C-alpha cells in the first residue's frame, strides 16, 4: 500500500477519496472506475434470491477507517455504519495506536461449536463416559457427512460433553449437551456444522439411549477467541490541559468502571461493537451472531462486564486488550454474490478468515480507545458536534448544497436540535434567495 496517497484523506472530496484509494493501490483501476460510475450495487435479480419477499435494497453508507497497522501490516478497513462519528473516531484511534507500534493479535484456534441436546438421559455421568469413549467414531461419522471440508484440510476435531444441572426456575431437568468442535477453514460454518450435527445424531442417540432435542451450531464461539493488544506511550494521549499520564490513568479508571458496572459496560461494549459490527457487516458476515456471542462472552463471569481491559505496564505505557469470540467467514452465505462485499474484500487485501477476525477485534479496540479518550477529556459531544450538525441539517431537509452553510451556523448555536436546524435552514434559504440575481421580464 502506498499510504502517502491517503494523507489528509478526510479532507478530500468524494472523487479525490476514490482516486486516492486507487493511487494508494488499495483498489484496482477497474474497481476505481466502477466506483466512480456508481456501478457497484446489488442487482434486484440477485437480491431476490438472497431473501424471501424481496422489495428493494436498504442503503447504509460504506466508508473506510485509515491508519490501522495490525501485526506490522497497514490496512484500510471498510465500515458500514449509519452513525456519524464512528469512522472518524476509528481512524483517530488507528493513528494514535499506529504511532505506538500498532495492534498485535493472537488467535490460538478457530473451531466452530455444534451442539446436540438431550433431555431425559437416565444417567448423565454414565452417558457422558460412553460418549467420551466413542469420540473417534463420532468425529469420523461427522467428517463422513461433510467430506469436502475434510478434503480441504478442515473437519471435526473434538468432542466435549457438558452436564447442565436441573433448574427449578425454568422447570428444566438435568440436561446432557454434547459439543462437536469443527475446523470450518474459511467458512463461518453454520451449514457445515449443522450438516455434521444431523449426520451424527442417530449414532449418538443409539450410544446413550436417549433422543436428541436438536442438533445445531452455537454462535457462542468460545473455541475461536481472538485477542488484540495495543501498547501506547502517554505522549500520544495528551490533550490540551490534560497530560498524557493523566489521560492514561483516566482511561484505566474508565475500564475499571465498565468492568464492575453493567450500566456502563453496556455502553462501553456498544462502542466496541460500533467498529466490530461495521466491519462484520462490510465483510458480508452475520452481525447478529457476532453480537450475541460477544455479549455472552461479556457475561462469562456471571455478570455483564467490559469486553476490553486497560492497564498500565512497568514502562508507564497504556496497554489495551480486547478478546472476542469470532468465527467470521470469507466465503459462503451471500459473501460471494454481493458485489459491495467483494469490493470490501479488495479494500482489505483479501484476508483469510482468521485475519479478518484479527482486523475486527483490532478495530473494536481502536474504537474503544477513541471513545474513552474523548469521554475522560473533553467529553463525547464536542467531537460529535459537527457530524451531528450534518445529520440534523439533512434531517430537516437541507439539500447537499445547503448542508455546509446550515452546519456552520448550527455549530454556533448553544443547543443543537431540530428547531434550531429548521430556523437556520430558513435563514440560509432566505439569504441565498436574496443573493440570487433578479430578472425582470
Ligand atoms: P456455506 O455453506 O454457504 O459455504 C461453505 C462452503 O464453501 C463449504 O461447505 C465448502 O463447500 C465451500 N468452500 C470452498 N472453499 C472453502 C474453504 N477454503 N473453507 C471452507 N469452505 C469452503 O457457508 P457456511 O457453512 O459458512 O454457512 C453460512 C451460512 O449459514 C450463512 O448464510 C448464515 O447466515 C447461515 N446460517 C447461520 C446460522 C447461525 O448463525 N446460527 C444457522 C443456519 C444458517 P464445498 O467443500 O462443498 O465446496
Amino acid at each position: 500500500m502506498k499510504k502517502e496517497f491517503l494523507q489528509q484523506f478526510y479532507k478530500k472530496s468524494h472523487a479525490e477519496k476514490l482516486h486516492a484509494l486507487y493511487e494508494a493501490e488499495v483498489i484496482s483501476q477497474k474497481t476505481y472506475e466502477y466506483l466512480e460510475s456508481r456501478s457497484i450495487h446489488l442487482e434486484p435479480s440477485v437480491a431476490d434470491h438472497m431473501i424471501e419477499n424481496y422489495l428493494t435494497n436498504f442503503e447504509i453508507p460504506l466508508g473506510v477507517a485509515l491508519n490501522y497497522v495490525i501485526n506490522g501490516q497497514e490496512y484500510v478497513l471498510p465500515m458500514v455504519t449509519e452513525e456519524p462519528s464512528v469512522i472518524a473516531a476509528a481512524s483517530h484511534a488507528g493513528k494514535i495506536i499506529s504511532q505506538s507500534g500498532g495492534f498485535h493479535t493472537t488467535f490460538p484456534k478457530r473451531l466452530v461449536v455444534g451442539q446436540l441436546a438431550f433431555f431425559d438421559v437416565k444417567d448423565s455421568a454414565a452417558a457422558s463416559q460412553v460418549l467420551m469413549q466413542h469420540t473417534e467414531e463420532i468425529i469420523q461419522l461427522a467428517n463422513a457427512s461433510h467430506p469436502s471440508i475434510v478434503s480441504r484440510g478442515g473437519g471435526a476435531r473434538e468432542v466435549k460433553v457438558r452436564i447442565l444441572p436441573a433448574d427449578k426456575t425454568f422447570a428444566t431437568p438435568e440436561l446432557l449437551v454434547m459439543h462437536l468442535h469443527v475446523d470450518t477453514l474459511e467458512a463461518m460454518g453454520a451449514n457445515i456444522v449443522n450438516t455434521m450435527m444431523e449426520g451424527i445424531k442417530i449414532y449418538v442417540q443409539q450410544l446413550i439411549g436417549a433422543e436428541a432435542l436438536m442438533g445445531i451450531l452455537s454462535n457462542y464461539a468460545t473455541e475461536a477467541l481472538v485477542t488484540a493488544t495495543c501498547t501506547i506511550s502517554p505522549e500520544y494521549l495528551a490533550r490540551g490541559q490534560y497530560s498524557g499520564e493523566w489521560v492514561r490513568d483516566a482511561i484505566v479508571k474508565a475500564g475499571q468502571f465498565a468492568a464492575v458496572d453493567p450500566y456502563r459496560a453496556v455502553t462501553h461494549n456498544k462502542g466496541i461493537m460500533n467498529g466490530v459490527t461495521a466491519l462484520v457487516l462490510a465483510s458480508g458476515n452475520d452481525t447478529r451472531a457476532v453480537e450475541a456471542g460477544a455479549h455472552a462472552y461479556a457475561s462469562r463471569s456471571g455478570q455483564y462486564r467490559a469486553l476490553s481491559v486497560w492497564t498500565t505496564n512497568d514502562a508507564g505505557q497504556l496497554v489495551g486488550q480486547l478478546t472476542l469470540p469470532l468465527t467470521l467467514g470469507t466465503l459462503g452465505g451471500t459473501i460471494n454474490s454481493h458485489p459491495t462485499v467483494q469490493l470490501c474484500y479488495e479494500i482489505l487485501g483479501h484476508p483469510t478468515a482468521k485475519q479478518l477476525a484479527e482486523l475486527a477485534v483490532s478495530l473494536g479496540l481502536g474504537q474503544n480507545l477513541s471513545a474513552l479518550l474523548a469521554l475522560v477529556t473533553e467529553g463525547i459531544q464536542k467531537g460529535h458536534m459537527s457530524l451531528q450538525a450534518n445529520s440534523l441539517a439533512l434531517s430537516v431537509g437541507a439539500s447537499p448544497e445547503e448542508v455546509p452553510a446550515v452546519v456552520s451556523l448550527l455549530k454556533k448555536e448553544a443547543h443543537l436540535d431540530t428547531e434550531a436546524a429548521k430556523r437556520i435552514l430558513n435563514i440560509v434559504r432566505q439569504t441565498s434567495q436574496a443573493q440570487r440575481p433578479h430578472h425582470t421580464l
Side-chain angles (χ1 to χ4, degrees):
M1 183 192 308
K2 295 181 173 169
K3 71 171 183 177
E4 60 275 19
F5 289 102
L6 302 176
Q7 303 287 332
Q8 305 277 298
F9 191 77
Y10 69 100
K11 288 187 179 162
K12 296 181 194 293
S13 67
H14 179 251
E16 287 168 346
K17 284 190 180 95
L18 298 185
H19 198 248
L21 283 180
Y22 163 58
E23 286 188 303
E25 296 178 356
V26 173
I27 54 173
S28 68
Q29 183 173 355
K30 192 171 156 206
T31 302
Y32 166 61
E33 285 164 8
Y34 271 134
L35 274 171
E36 242 203 337
S37 61
R38 296 180 185 276
S39 45
I40 296 187
H41 50 77
L42 182 61
E43 290 294 342
S45 55
V46 177
D48 198 29
H49 291 289
M50 283 184 180
I51 60 164
E52 292 293 317
N53 301 344
Y54 169 75
L55 298 179
T56 185
N57 295 336
F58 182 95
E59 293 182 288
I60 303 179
L62 161 68
V64 286
L66 300 177
N67 314 317
Y68 274 73
V69 178
I70 301 167
N71 299 328
Q73 200 177 322
E74 300 269 354
Y75 288 94
V76 171
L77 302 178
M79 299 176 74
V80 176
T81 181
E82 86 301 342
E83 193 173 334
S85 56
V86 165
I87 293 183
S91 299
H92 178 55
K95 191 164 188 182
I96 295 170
I97 295 169
S98 68
Q99 286 165 334
S100 273
F103 297 87
H104 294 277
T105 65
T106 54
F107 200 171
K109 62 175 171 177
R110 182 192 177 281
L111 298 175
V112 180
V113 176
Q115 296 191 292
L116 277 183
F118 296 90
F119 280 59
D120 309 320
V121 178
K122 285 194 190 81
D123 183 343
S124 293
S128 166
Q129 217 170 9
V130 171
L131 289 176
M132 293 322 288
Q133 282 160 356
H134 291 83
T135 55
E136 277 310 308
E137 291 87 335
I138 294 168
I139 288 170
Q140 271 174 25
L141 197 57
N143 285 335
S145 64
H146 208 301
S148 61
I149 195 70
V150 180
S151 64
R152 291 180 196 281
R157 297 282 186 257
E158 298 166 348
V159 173
K160 293 269 153 71
V161 182
R162 295 163 59 228
I163 298 172
L164 308 185
D167 191 319
K168 277 193 189 141
T169 315
F170 302 100
T172 316
E174 183 180 79
L175 297 185
L176 184 123
V177 186
M178 196 204 86
H179 284 197
L180 183 71
H181 297 168
V182 185
D183 183 351
T184 61
L185 301 174
E186 288 300 303
M188 174 258 191
N191 289 324
I192 298 169
V193 171
N194 291 343
T195 305
M196 286 187 173
M197 299 322 288
E198 276 167 26
I200 61 175
K201 191 170 149 183
I202 292 173
Y203 175 68
V204 176
Q205 287 182 162
Q206 284 166 351
L207 275 180
I208 62 172
E211 205 165 318
L213 178 72
M214 64 173 82
I216 182 77
L217 152 116
S218 168
N219 290 116
Y220 191 21
T222 54
E223 306 308 306
L225 296 176
V226 53
T227 299
T229 309
C230 61
T231 305
I232 307 162
S233 300
E235 65 201 87
Y236 301 116
L237 297 170
R239 289 287 171 284
Q241 82 251 38
Y242 305 99
S243 73
E245 285 74 16
W246 189 92
V247 174
R248 174 200 64 198
D249 294 344
I251 289 176
V252 171
K253 285 180 193 152
Q256 290 167 338
F257 175 25
V260 297
D261 179 11
Y263 283 88
R264 175 59 208 148
V266 168
T267 319
H268 179 101
N269 292 344
K270 184 273 185 195
I272 290 172
M273 301 313 284
N274 274 343
V276 176
T277 301
L279 176 57
V280 168
L281 188 54
S283 72
N285 276 275
D286 183 336
T287 54
R288 290 84 59 209
V290 169
E291 292 192 346
H295 297 301
Y297 192 64
S299 311
R300 67 194 180 282
S301 67
Q303 184 189 313
Y304 189 90
R305 298 183 191 280
L307 282 161
S308 61
V309 178
W310 293 93
T311 51
T312 306
N313 66 14
D314 291 344
Q317 295 162 309
L318 177 68
V319 180
Q321 186 164 308
L322 173 65
T323 299
L324 290 175
L326 282 176
T327 49
L328 302 178
T330 58
L331 49 76
T334 51
I335 292 172
N336 309 60
S337 52
H338 197 301
T340 321
V341 169
Q342 286 304 310
L343 162 71
C344 293
Y345 279 95
E346 185 176 336
I347 293 172
L348 289 167
H350 299 285
T352 62
K354 277 186 109 175
Q355 285 166 338
L356 180 61
E358 289 167 340
L359 305 186
V361 74
S362 301
L363 180 55
L365 186 58
Q367 203 81 56
N368 189 217
L369 174 72
S370 202
L372 297 185
L373 192 54
L375 280 171
V376 300
T377 56
E378 74 263 25
I380 211 97
Q381 282 313 100
K382 190 170 173 239
H384 279 213
M385 226 170 73
S386 73
L387 293 160
Q388 221 151 21
N390 262 310
S391 295
L392 259 182
L394 287 170
S395 75
V396 296
S399 68
E401 295 74 35
E402 291 167 333
V403 167
V406 175
V407 167
S408 102
L409 288 175
L410 256 180
K411 280 175 158 173
K412 294 179 188 148
E413 290 284 308
H415 300 289
L416 292 192
D417 57 21
T418 312
E419 278 315 304
K422 278 184 187 161
R423 180 168 38 78
I424 286 170
L425 178 60
N426 269 335
I427 297 170
V428 167
R429 285 187 176 160
Q430 279 162 12
T431 317
S432 80
Q433 222 159 25
Q435 284 167 352
R436 228 174 268 155
H438 294 281
H439 300 285
T440 39
L441 292 173

